[in-house]
mmCIF file of all heavy atoms in Angstrom:
data_model
loop_
_atom_site.group_PDB
_atom_site.id
_atom_site.type_symbol
_atom_site.label_atom_id
_atom_site.label_comp_id
_atom_site.label_asym_id
_atom_site.label_seq_id
_atom_site.Cartn_x
_atom_site.Cartn_y
_atom_site.Cartn_z
ATOM 1 N N ASP A 1 38.874 -14.673 -10.138
ATOM 2 C CA ASP A 1 40.156 -14.365 -9.513
ATOM 3 C C ASP A 1 40.085 -13.027 -8.781
ATOM 4 O O ASP A 1 39.395 -12.098 -9.227
ATOM 5 C CB ASP A 1 41.282 -14.287 -10.566
ATOM 6 C CG ASP A 1 41.524 -15.609 -11.269
ATOM 7 O OD1 ASP A 1 42.067 -16.523 -10.630
ATOM 8 O OD2 ASP A 1 41.158 -15.712 -12.456
ATOM 9 N N TRP A 2 40.841 -12.930 -7.666
ATOM 10 C CA TRP A 2 40.996 -11.677 -6.922
ATOM 11 C C TRP A 2 42.253 -10.954 -7.397
ATOM 12 O O TRP A 2 43.241 -11.594 -7.769
ATOM 13 C CB TRP A 2 41.156 -11.937 -5.431
ATOM 14 C CG TRP A 2 39.936 -12.392 -4.696
ATOM 15 C CD1 TRP A 2 39.516 -13.680 -4.512
ATOM 16 C CD2 TRP A 2 38.986 -11.553 -4.011
ATOM 17 N NE1 TRP A 2 38.367 -13.695 -3.751
ATOM 18 C CE2 TRP A 2 38.025 -12.406 -3.432
ATOM 19 C CE3 TRP A 2 38.875 -10.172 -3.833
ATOM 20 C CZ2 TRP A 2 36.950 -11.924 -2.688
ATOM 21 C CZ3 TRP A 2 37.801 -9.689 -3.100
ATOM 22 C CH2 TRP A 2 36.849 -10.556 -2.526
ATOM 23 N N ASP A 3 42.220 -9.626 -7.317
ATOM 24 C CA ASP A 3 43.461 -8.883 -7.520
ATOM 25 C C ASP A 3 44.269 -8.908 -6.227
ATOM 26 O O ASP A 3 43.768 -9.329 -5.173
ATOM 27 C CB ASP A 3 43.183 -7.449 -7.995
ATOM 28 C CG ASP A 3 42.728 -6.537 -6.865
ATOM 29 O OD1 ASP A 3 42.059 -7.024 -5.934
ATOM 30 O OD2 ASP A 3 43.046 -5.328 -6.914
ATOM 31 N N VAL A 4 45.525 -8.488 -6.266
ATOM 32 C CA VAL A 4 46.416 -8.618 -5.104
ATOM 33 C C VAL A 4 45.978 -7.731 -3.942
ATOM 34 O O VAL A 4 46.334 -7.989 -2.787
ATOM 35 C CB VAL A 4 47.872 -8.291 -5.493
ATOM 36 C CG1 VAL A 4 48.413 -9.335 -6.463
ATOM 37 C CG2 VAL A 4 48.003 -6.887 -6.074
ATOM 38 N N ARG A 5 45.195 -6.694 -4.207
ATOM 39 C CA ARG A 5 44.741 -5.809 -3.129
ATOM 40 C C ARG A 5 43.476 -6.313 -2.448
ATOM 41 O O ARG A 5 43.093 -5.806 -1.401
ATOM 42 C CB ARG A 5 44.482 -4.396 -3.682
ATOM 43 C CG ARG A 5 45.673 -3.738 -4.360
ATOM 44 C CD ARG A 5 45.255 -2.422 -5.016
ATOM 45 N NE ARG A 5 44.157 -2.647 -5.957
ATOM 46 C CZ ARG A 5 43.045 -1.917 -5.995
ATOM 47 N NH1 ARG A 5 42.875 -0.922 -5.118
ATOM 48 N NH2 ARG A 5 42.101 -2.163 -6.889
ATOM 49 N N GLY A 6 42.826 -7.295 -3.076
ATOM 50 C CA GLY A 6 41.565 -7.779 -2.525
ATOM 51 C C GLY A 6 40.432 -6.805 -2.732
ATOM 52 O O GLY A 6 39.434 -6.845 -2.006
ATOM 53 N N LYS A 7 40.541 -5.953 -3.762
ATOM 54 C CA LYS A 7 39.536 -4.925 -4.030
ATOM 55 C C LYS A 7 38.782 -5.141 -5.338
ATOM 56 O O LYS A 7 37.844 -4.412 -5.640
ATOM 57 C CB LYS A 7 40.204 -3.538 -4.080
ATOM 58 C CG LYS A 7 40.921 -3.141 -2.809
ATOM 59 C CD LYS A 7 39.956 -2.887 -1.676
ATOM 60 C CE LYS A 7 40.677 -2.363 -0.441
ATOM 61 N NZ LYS A 7 39.729 -2.127 0.690
ATOM 62 N N LEU A 8 39.206 -6.148 -6.112
ATOM 63 C CA LEU A 8 38.617 -6.342 -7.432
ATOM 64 C C LEU A 8 38.512 -7.823 -7.744
ATOM 65 O O LEU A 8 39.412 -8.605 -7.431
ATOM 66 C CB LEU A 8 39.477 -5.643 -8.489
ATOM 67 C CG LEU A 8 38.911 -5.548 -9.908
ATOM 68 C CD1 LEU A 8 37.722 -4.585 -9.943
ATOM 69 C CD2 LEU A 8 39.994 -5.074 -10.878
ATOM 70 N N LEU A 9 37.403 -8.207 -8.393
ATOM 71 C CA LEU A 9 37.186 -9.579 -8.830
ATOM 72 C C LEU A 9 37.102 -9.614 -10.354
ATOM 73 O O LEU A 9 36.437 -8.783 -10.977
ATOM 74 C CB LEU A 9 35.883 -10.138 -8.255
ATOM 75 C CG LEU A 9 35.928 -10.756 -6.860
ATOM 76 C CD1 LEU A 9 34.514 -11.059 -6.398
ATOM 77 C CD2 LEU A 9 36.760 -12.028 -6.850
ATOM 78 N N GLN A 10 37.786 -10.590 -10.941
ATOM 79 C CA GLN A 10 37.670 -10.860 -12.372
ATOM 80 C C GLN A 10 36.828 -12.125 -12.540
ATOM 81 O O GLN A 10 37.070 -13.134 -11.884
ATOM 82 C CB GLN A 10 39.055 -11.086 -12.996
ATOM 83 C CG GLN A 10 39.002 -11.560 -14.421
ATOM 84 C CD GLN A 10 40.382 -11.829 -15.008
ATOM 85 O OE1 GLN A 10 40.684 -11.405 -16.100
ATOM 86 N NE2 GLN A 10 41.224 -12.547 -14.271
ATOM 87 N N VAL A 11 35.836 -12.053 -13.421
ATOM 88 C CA VAL A 11 34.882 -13.148 -13.575
ATOM 89 C C VAL A 11 34.752 -13.521 -15.045
ATOM 90 O O VAL A 11 34.682 -12.648 -15.912
ATOM 91 C CB VAL A 11 33.502 -12.748 -13.000
ATOM 92 C CG1 VAL A 11 32.443 -13.772 -13.367
ATOM 93 C CG2 VAL A 11 33.581 -12.582 -11.487
ATOM 94 N N ASN A 12 34.729 -14.816 -15.341
ATOM 95 C CA ASN A 12 34.412 -15.333 -16.678
ATOM 96 C C ASN A 12 33.037 -15.984 -16.624
ATOM 97 O O ASN A 12 32.653 -16.563 -15.595
ATOM 98 C CB ASN A 12 35.417 -16.378 -17.139
ATOM 99 C CG ASN A 12 36.789 -15.805 -17.459
ATOM 100 O OD1 ASN A 12 37.701 -16.544 -17.802
ATOM 101 N ND2 ASN A 12 36.965 -14.492 -17.335
ATOM 102 N N THR A 13 32.299 -15.911 -17.729
ATOM 103 C CA THR A 13 30.980 -16.536 -17.767
ATOM 104 C C THR A 13 30.858 -17.482 -18.954
ATOM 105 O O THR A 13 31.688 -17.465 -19.871
ATOM 106 C CB THR A 13 29.860 -15.477 -17.879
ATOM 107 O OG1 THR A 13 29.794 -14.980 -19.226
ATOM 108 C CG2 THR A 13 30.098 -14.322 -16.920
ATOM 109 N N GLY A 14 29.795 -18.274 -18.941
ATOM 110 C CA GLY A 14 29.531 -19.206 -20.021
ATOM 111 C C GLY A 14 29.152 -18.534 -21.327
ATOM 112 O O GLY A 14 29.091 -19.185 -22.369
ATOM 113 N N ALA A 15 28.894 -17.228 -21.280
ATOM 114 C CA ALA A 15 28.605 -16.458 -22.489
ATOM 115 C C ALA A 15 29.871 -15.812 -23.040
ATOM 116 O O ALA A 15 29.790 -14.925 -23.878
ATOM 117 C CB ALA A 15 27.561 -15.383 -22.196
ATOM 118 N N LYS A 16 31.025 -16.253 -22.561
ATOM 119 C CA LYS A 16 32.331 -15.744 -22.980
ATOM 120 C C LYS A 16 32.501 -14.270 -22.631
ATOM 121 O O LYS A 16 33.030 -13.481 -23.410
ATOM 122 C CB LYS A 16 32.550 -15.981 -24.477
ATOM 123 C CG LYS A 16 34.006 -16.326 -24.829
ATOM 124 C CD LYS A 16 34.159 -16.832 -26.234
ATOM 125 C CE LYS A 16 35.615 -17.240 -26.491
ATOM 126 N NZ LYS A 16 35.814 -17.796 -27.851
ATOM 127 N N GLU A 17 32.036 -13.923 -21.426
ATOM 128 C CA GLU A 17 32.192 -12.559 -20.919
ATOM 129 C C GLU A 17 33.344 -12.511 -19.920
ATOM 130 O O GLU A 17 33.492 -13.414 -19.095
ATOM 131 C CB GLU A 17 30.921 -12.096 -20.207
ATOM 132 C CG GLU A 17 29.676 -12.084 -21.061
ATOM 133 C CD GLU A 17 28.434 -11.889 -20.220
ATOM 134 O OE1 GLU A 17 28.238 -12.673 -19.264
ATOM 135 O OE2 GLU A 17 27.652 -10.972 -20.522
ATOM 136 N N GLN A 18 34.134 -11.447 -19.984
ATOM 137 C CA GLN A 18 35.128 -11.156 -18.970
ATOM 138 C C GLN A 18 34.657 -9.909 -18.230
ATOM 139 O O GLN A 18 34.641 -8.810 -18.781
ATOM 140 C CB GLN A 18 36.510 -10.909 -19.593
ATOM 141 C CG GLN A 18 37.605 -10.667 -18.561
ATOM 142 C CD GLN A 18 38.919 -10.251 -19.195
ATOM 143 O OE1 GLN A 18 38.941 -9.685 -20.285
ATOM 144 N NE2 GLN A 18 40.022 -10.530 -18.518
ATOM 145 N N LEU A 19 34.249 -10.094 -16.983
ATOM 146 C CA LEU A 19 33.644 -9.013 -16.208
ATOM 147 C C LEU A 19 34.499 -8.684 -14.989
ATOM 148 O O LEU A 19 35.272 -9.523 -14.500
ATOM 149 C CB LEU A 19 32.235 -9.413 -15.752
ATOM 150 C CG LEU A 19 31.261 -9.870 -16.848
ATOM 151 C CD1 LEU A 19 29.950 -10.321 -16.232
ATOM 152 C CD2 LEU A 19 31.025 -8.751 -17.854
ATOM 153 N N PHE A 20 34.339 -7.455 -14.485
ATOM 154 C CA PHE A 20 35.080 -6.995 -13.314
ATOM 155 C C PHE A 20 34.106 -6.399 -12.305
ATOM 156 O O PHE A 20 33.173 -5.674 -12.678
ATOM 157 C CB PHE A 20 36.129 -5.946 -13.710
ATOM 158 C CG PHE A 20 37.122 -6.439 -14.720
ATOM 159 C CD1 PHE A 20 36.931 -6.203 -16.078
ATOM 160 C CD2 PHE A 20 38.242 -7.158 -14.317
ATOM 161 C CE1 PHE A 20 37.838 -6.659 -17.014
ATOM 162 C CE2 PHE A 20 39.158 -7.626 -15.243
ATOM 163 C CZ PHE A 20 38.955 -7.373 -16.602
ATOM 164 N N PHE A 21 34.335 -6.708 -11.030
ATOM 165 C CA PHE A 21 33.466 -6.215 -9.969
ATOM 166 C C PHE A 21 34.304 -5.689 -8.813
ATOM 167 O O PHE A 21 35.301 -6.302 -8.417
ATOM 168 C CB PHE A 21 32.551 -7.338 -9.451
ATOM 169 C CG PHE A 21 31.589 -7.868 -10.478
ATOM 170 C CD1 PHE A 21 31.933 -8.968 -11.263
ATOM 171 C CD2 PHE A 21 30.360 -7.273 -10.668
ATOM 172 C CE1 PHE A 21 31.059 -9.465 -12.215
ATOM 173 C CE2 PHE A 21 29.470 -7.768 -11.625
ATOM 174 C CZ PHE A 21 29.821 -8.862 -12.394
ATOM 175 N N GLU A 22 33.859 -4.551 -8.268
ATOM 176 C CA GLU A 22 34.511 -3.982 -7.080
ATOM 177 C C GLU A 22 34.139 -4.850 -5.879
ATOM 178 O O GLU A 22 33.008 -5.334 -5.758
ATOM 179 C CB GLU A 22 34.033 -2.534 -6.883
ATOM 180 C CG GLU A 22 34.519 -1.884 -5.606
ATOM 181 C CD GLU A 22 33.542 -2.074 -4.451
ATOM 182 O OE1 GLU A 22 32.340 -2.276 -4.706
ATOM 183 O OE2 GLU A 22 33.992 -2.041 -3.292
ATOM 184 N N ALA A 23 35.097 -5.081 -5.003
ATOM 185 C CA ALA A 23 34.845 -5.872 -3.798
ATOM 186 C C ALA A 23 35.069 -4.999 -2.555
ATOM 187 O O ALA A 23 35.944 -4.128 -2.560
ATOM 188 C CB ALA A 23 35.774 -7.088 -3.774
ATOM 189 N N PRO A 24 34.266 -5.213 -1.508
ATOM 190 C CA PRO A 24 33.349 -6.350 -1.336
ATOM 191 C C PRO A 24 31.903 -6.085 -1.759
ATOM 192 O O PRO A 24 31.084 -6.982 -1.663
ATOM 193 C CB PRO A 24 33.414 -6.576 0.168
ATOM 194 C CG PRO A 24 33.602 -5.200 0.745
ATOM 195 C CD PRO A 24 34.479 -4.470 -0.244
ATOM 196 N N ARG A 25 31.568 -4.872 -2.200
ATOM 197 C CA ARG A 25 30.160 -4.573 -2.480
ATOM 198 C C ARG A 25 29.635 -5.255 -3.730
ATOM 199 O O ARG A 25 28.432 -5.511 -3.846
ATOM 200 C CB ARG A 25 29.955 -3.051 -2.584
ATOM 201 C CG ARG A 25 30.291 -2.305 -1.295
ATOM 202 C CD ARG A 25 29.478 -2.842 -0.136
ATOM 203 N NE ARG A 25 29.867 -2.243 1.136
ATOM 204 C CZ ARG A 25 29.474 -2.687 2.315
ATOM 205 N NH1 ARG A 25 28.695 -3.757 2.387
ATOM 206 N NH2 ARG A 25 29.871 -2.099 3.428
ATOM 207 N N GLY A 26 30.524 -5.511 -4.711
ATOM 208 C CA GLY A 26 30.081 -6.209 -5.909
ATOM 209 C C GLY A 26 29.619 -5.306 -7.027
ATOM 210 O O GLY A 26 28.934 -5.761 -7.948
ATOM 211 N N LYS A 27 29.989 -4.030 -6.990
ATOM 212 C CA LYS A 27 29.581 -3.111 -8.049
ATOM 213 C C LYS A 27 30.364 -3.408 -9.324
ATOM 214 O O LYS A 27 31.586 -3.529 -9.308
ATOM 215 C CB LYS A 27 29.833 -1.667 -7.608
ATOM 216 C CG LYS A 27 29.353 -0.636 -8.618
ATOM 217 C CD LYS A 27 29.585 0.780 -8.116
ATOM 218 C CE LYS A 27 29.108 1.805 -9.146
ATOM 219 N NZ LYS A 27 29.331 3.205 -8.679
ATOM 220 N N LYS A 28 29.649 -3.478 -10.441
ATOM 221 C CA LYS A 28 30.277 -3.804 -11.722
ATOM 222 C C LYS A 28 31.160 -2.662 -12.194
ATOM 223 O O LYS A 28 30.790 -1.491 -12.101
ATOM 224 C CB LYS A 28 29.191 -4.108 -12.760
ATOM 225 C CG LYS A 28 29.715 -4.703 -14.052
ATOM 226 C CD LYS A 28 28.564 -5.073 -14.987
ATOM 227 C CE LYS A 28 29.066 -5.674 -16.283
ATOM 228 N NZ LYS A 28 27.932 -6.017 -17.188
ATOM 229 N N GLN A 29 32.340 -3.006 -12.710
ATOM 230 C CA GLN A 29 33.311 -2.025 -13.177
ATOM 231 C C GLN A 29 33.573 -2.221 -14.670
ATOM 232 O O GLN A 29 33.616 -3.353 -15.157
ATOM 233 C CB GLN A 29 34.634 -2.165 -12.422
ATOM 234 C CG GLN A 29 34.504 -2.101 -10.905
ATOM 235 C CD GLN A 29 34.135 -0.702 -10.425
ATOM 236 O OE1 GLN A 29 34.771 0.281 -10.786
ATOM 237 N NE2 GLN A 29 33.080 -0.624 -9.616
ATOM 238 N N THR A 30 33.753 -1.120 -15.389
ATOM 239 C CA THR A 30 34.119 -1.175 -16.804
ATOM 240 C C THR A 30 35.603 -0.837 -16.916
ATOM 241 O O THR A 30 36.020 0.292 -16.638
ATOM 242 C CB THR A 30 33.289 -0.184 -17.636
ATOM 243 O OG1 THR A 30 31.900 -0.499 -17.491
ATOM 244 C CG2 THR A 30 33.687 -0.266 -19.104
ATOM 245 N N ILE A 31 36.392 -1.823 -17.306
ATOM 246 C CA ILE A 31 37.847 -1.658 -17.377
ATOM 247 C C ILE A 31 38.307 -2.037 -18.779
ATOM 248 O O ILE A 31 38.105 -3.176 -19.210
ATOM 249 C CB ILE A 31 38.561 -2.535 -16.335
ATOM 250 C CG1 ILE A 31 38.068 -2.186 -14.922
ATOM 251 C CG2 ILE A 31 40.079 -2.372 -16.423
ATOM 252 C CD1 ILE A 31 38.663 -3.052 -13.835
ATOM 253 N N PRO A 32 38.928 -1.118 -19.514
ATOM 254 C CA PRO A 32 39.437 -1.445 -20.860
ATOM 255 C C PRO A 32 40.515 -2.523 -20.800
ATOM 256 O O PRO A 32 41.184 -2.698 -19.774
ATOM 257 C CB PRO A 32 40.019 -0.108 -21.342
ATOM 258 C CG PRO A 32 39.412 0.940 -20.469
ATOM 259 C CD PRO A 32 39.160 0.286 -19.152
ATOM 260 N N SER A 33 40.682 -3.246 -21.893
ATOM 261 C CA SER A 33 41.666 -4.330 -21.946
ATOM 262 C C SER A 33 43.074 -3.836 -21.643
ATOM 263 O O SER A 33 43.848 -4.507 -20.957
ATOM 264 C CB SER A 33 41.634 -4.999 -23.323
ATOM 265 O OG SER A 33 40.383 -5.589 -23.565
ATOM 266 N N SER A 34 43.396 -2.635 -22.146
ATOM 267 C CA SER A 34 44.738 -2.087 -21.920
ATOM 268 C C SER A 34 45.011 -1.833 -20.447
ATOM 269 O O SER A 34 46.134 -1.996 -19.967
ATOM 270 C CB SER A 34 44.915 -0.793 -22.719
ATOM 271 O OG SER A 34 43.916 0.154 -22.348
ATOM 272 N N GLU A 35 43.973 -1.445 -19.704
ATOM 273 C CA GLU A 35 44.119 -1.206 -18.276
ATOM 274 C C GLU A 35 44.075 -2.508 -17.488
ATOM 275 O O GLU A 35 44.772 -2.659 -16.469
ATOM 276 C CB GLU A 35 43.011 -0.267 -17.781
ATOM 277 C CG GLU A 35 43.092 1.141 -18.345
ATOM 278 C CD GLU A 35 44.389 1.835 -17.951
ATOM 279 O OE1 GLU A 35 44.803 1.699 -16.782
ATOM 280 O OE2 GLU A 35 44.982 2.511 -18.812
ATOM 281 N N ALA A 36 43.263 -3.457 -17.948
ATOM 282 C CA ALA A 36 43.149 -4.746 -17.251
ATOM 283 C C ALA A 36 44.482 -5.485 -17.262
ATOM 284 O O ALA A 36 44.805 -6.217 -16.315
ATOM 285 C CB ALA A 36 42.059 -5.593 -17.898
#
């Protein structure tokens, strides 16, 4: 899923990971659950 600004991607994986990436470059972001 994209965020409303088009600057962040939320990704789920088959390993039950919830990951976040900066867009459009794709740099991985660490975001706490409370902030997410």
Side-chain angles (χ1 to χ4, degrees):
D1 296 288
W2 288 89
D3 77 328
V4 294
R5 302 173 304 132
K7 300 291 185 181
L8 189 69
L9 275 172
Q10 172 182 227
V11 170
N12 290 178
T13 77
K16 216 168 184 178
E17 300 169 306
Q18 183 187 26
L19 306 176
F20 302 95
F21 297 93
E22 174 269 335
R25 298 304 174 191
K27 184 178 180 180
K28 191 176 180 181
Q29 306 290 309
T30 301
I31 302 177
S33 297
S34 58
E35 294 299 318

